[in-house]
Amino acid sequence: MKESVGNPLHLKSLNHISLVCRSVEESMNFYQNVLGFVPIRRPGSFDFNGAWLFGHGIGIHLLQSENPENMPKKKEINPKDNHISFQCESMGAVEKKLKEMEIEHVRAMVEEGGIYVEQMFFHDPDGFMIEICNCDNLPVIPLAGDMVRSCSRVNLQVLQRQQIQQVIQQ
């Protein structure tokens, strides 16, 4: 596979993820009341049921399943399954709130070079996995080039500028 350098598609950020739901209303309730997303306007030309939400710098587009009864049921919480991850300010506060809301979750811990990252995994109403973590503790270390301090947006922008400079200098 040819090695790619820089940003060949000139990407700026993650815009949204789309999730097919058994019930758009139930999923809207979850994403608003558990994760703090807010509903936003979606194009009126769409001729199918759905909702758009925005929060934490990304959008979530909920799409009503055409066959909700045929959607797979929730599975065991498996941290190695597909998921979207959010950084948080306090893992203790997250766990307390999940317990108050009676949301089943699984805790995990990652250690790398003496740095520990806490993780909590749980499902949305349709079984899509959500991770909450304090991943900002873990440095982002490119396989080539200089280390970036953490997963924060500012530090990732520094990495992108460094990659652009490397391409320009070649």
Side-chain angles (χ1 to χ4, degrees):
M1 185 163 135
K2 185 177 178 181
E3 184 179 327
S4 68
V5 177
N7 186 359
L9 298 180
H10 306 279
L11 302 179
K12 296 190 313 186
S13 67
L14 175 66
N15 180 270
H16 73 273
I17 62 169
S18 290
L19 301 171
V20 177
C21 312
R22 277 188 203 84
S23 165
V24 167
E25 292 74 24
E26 186 178 349
S27 291
M28 276 187 67
N29 180 52
F30 174 87
Y31 283 96
Q32 286 181 266
N33 297 319
V34 176
L35 297 177
F37 281 77
V38 296
I40 60 172
R41 184 186 315 252
R42 71 192 275 259
S45 61
F46 286 157
D47 62 354
F48 55 91
N49 188 15
W52 285 9
L53 300 113
F54 186 81
H56 319 292
I58 65 164
I60 293 185
H61 295 183
L62 304 174
L63 309 172
Q64 179 64 49
S65 171
E66 293 178 5
N67 297 307
E69 60 282 346
N70 292 337
M71 287 183 65
K73 300 292 182 206
K74 288 184 187 179
K75 300 175 186 172
E76 176 183 326
I77 298 173
N78 177 359
K80 294 185 282 183
D81 202 352
N82 295 325
H83 62 275
I84 186 168
S85 178
F86 297 94
Q87 293 186 153
C88 72
E89 295 176 13
S90 168
M91 292 299 289
V94 168
E95 185 162 39
K96 180 181 179 197
K97 196 65 171 172
L98 290 175
K99 285 179 180 177
E100 287 173 8
M101 296 176 150
E102 298 180 348
I103 295 176
E104 182 184 349
H105 60 281
V106 169
R107 290 182 61 99
M109 179 82 70
V110 174
E111 185 272 334
E112 177 64 28
I115 298 171
Y116 293 87
V117 172
E118 295 176 83
Q119 303 167 295
M120 277 184 245
F121 296 89
F122 53 96
H123 287 135
D124 78 355
D126 296 296
F128 185 75
M129 183 92 65
I130 309 292
E131 173 190 2
I132 307 290
C133 69
N134 59 356
C135 298
D136 205 30
N137 295 340
L138 195 61
V140 174
I141 304 173
L143 295 178
D146 297 327
M147 180 179 86
V148 177
R149 298 188 112 160
S150 70
C151 291
S152 73
R153 176 178 261 173
V154 170
N155 289 322
L156 290 176
Q157 288 171 345
V158 168
L159 175 62
Q160 288 173 338
R161 283 194 297 272
Q162 289 172 348
Q163 289 174 334
I164 290 168
Q165 287 299 324
Q166 289 172 354
V167 170
I168 291 171
Q169 292 171 357
Q170 292 178 353

